[in-house]
Amino acid sequence: NAGTMRLISGGEWIVLAAAEPDKPWKGISGKGTLTAQRCVFAGVANDPAIRGGRRDAFALSQCVLAENSIGLDCGNNISGTVEHSLFLKNKLGFIVHGDGGTVRFEHCLFTGNNQGAASNFSGFWTGADSTFFANKVGVAAPQNDMICTIKHSNVFGNSEFQATSRGGRIHAKGNY
């Protein structure tokens, strides 16, 4: 899909999940753009709930990404924004990887994930005014010299690490 997908609700939530409990669904993946507001993306077992395919691939607002293997996957030169959203009980809340993948997030809650915000290779994230609580790892930086930035956020109560890195850096400003 290289078109535009708009899932926007001003009232009731839009739920994207398996139609039958014993049959998995594969999430949303494409080369177009996704704009989602007041959506629930849940129960993708072996694929990302959302996988972007280009720069400015997605804009999520007031969404819930719950019980997925990966809530959001942002790879080579793919970017997008997430605001006022919940990442709940995913293996990875989101991962940014590859050459120049980026995610900007604000006002989000990451809880119950194996990792909240993760990056790998040359991918990086920038976040503000968010909370990482009760994950195994709150935030993770990549293994190279990329810098992930988080400011004015709460990163606490994560069971293994508040923050971890394999060589990259996390620039933290004004966190609690």
Side-chain angles (χ1 to χ4, degrees):
N1 169 339
T4 299
M5 182 180 293
R6 293 176 49 88
L7 303 169
I8 298 174
S9 175
E12 298 294 323
W13 286 85
I14 299 169
V15 177
L16 293 100
E20 298 177 34
D22 59 338
K23 295 192 178 182
W25 75 290
K26 293 192 170 272
I28 294 175
S29 180
K31 295 183 180 177
T33 60
L34 168 65
T35 302
Q37 181 176 11
R38 291 186 61 81
C39 293
V40 176
F41 299 88
V44 181
N46 299 313
D47 295 290
I50 300 169
R51 176 180 287 149
R54 62 181 238 182
R55 285 250 177 241
D56 301 319
F58 56 88
L60 309 178
S61 178
Q62 300 174 22
C63 290
V64 176
L65 294 96
E67 297 185 354
N68 302 296
S69 67
I70 301 171
L72 176 63
D73 182 340
C74 192
N76 294 331
N77 292 311
I78 298 167
S79 63
T81 60
V82 183
E83 299 175 337
H84 302 281
S85 294
L86 170 64
F87 291 81
L88 175 68
K89 295 183 180 178
N90 301 288
K91 288 180 184 171
L92 291 172
F94 71 73
I95 183 145
V96 185
H97 57 89
D99 296 326
T102 62
V103 170
R104 182 186 60 79
F105 62 90
E106 293 181 350
H107 307 287
C108 292
L109 173 60
F110 297 79
T111 189
N113 304 290
N114 283 350
Q115 288 188 4
S119 58
N120 200 0
F121 303 111
S122 297
F124 66 95
W125 47 259
T126 302
D129 303 310
S130 296
T131 298
F132 295 83
F133 174 74
N135 303 288
K136 284 186 180 177
V137 175
V139 295
Q143 68 266 37
N144 57 20
D145 61 354
M146 298 302 292
I147 300 172
C148 296
T149 303
I150 187 167
K151 61 182 181 177
H152 309 293
S153 295
N154 301 299
V155 183
F156 70 104
N158 299 293
S159 63
E160 291 182 12
F161 299 102
Q162 305 314 313
T164 188
S165 172
R166 293 179 303 217
R169 294 175 283 164
I170 297 174
H171 185 208
K173 302 187 324 184
N175 296 303
Y176 310 101

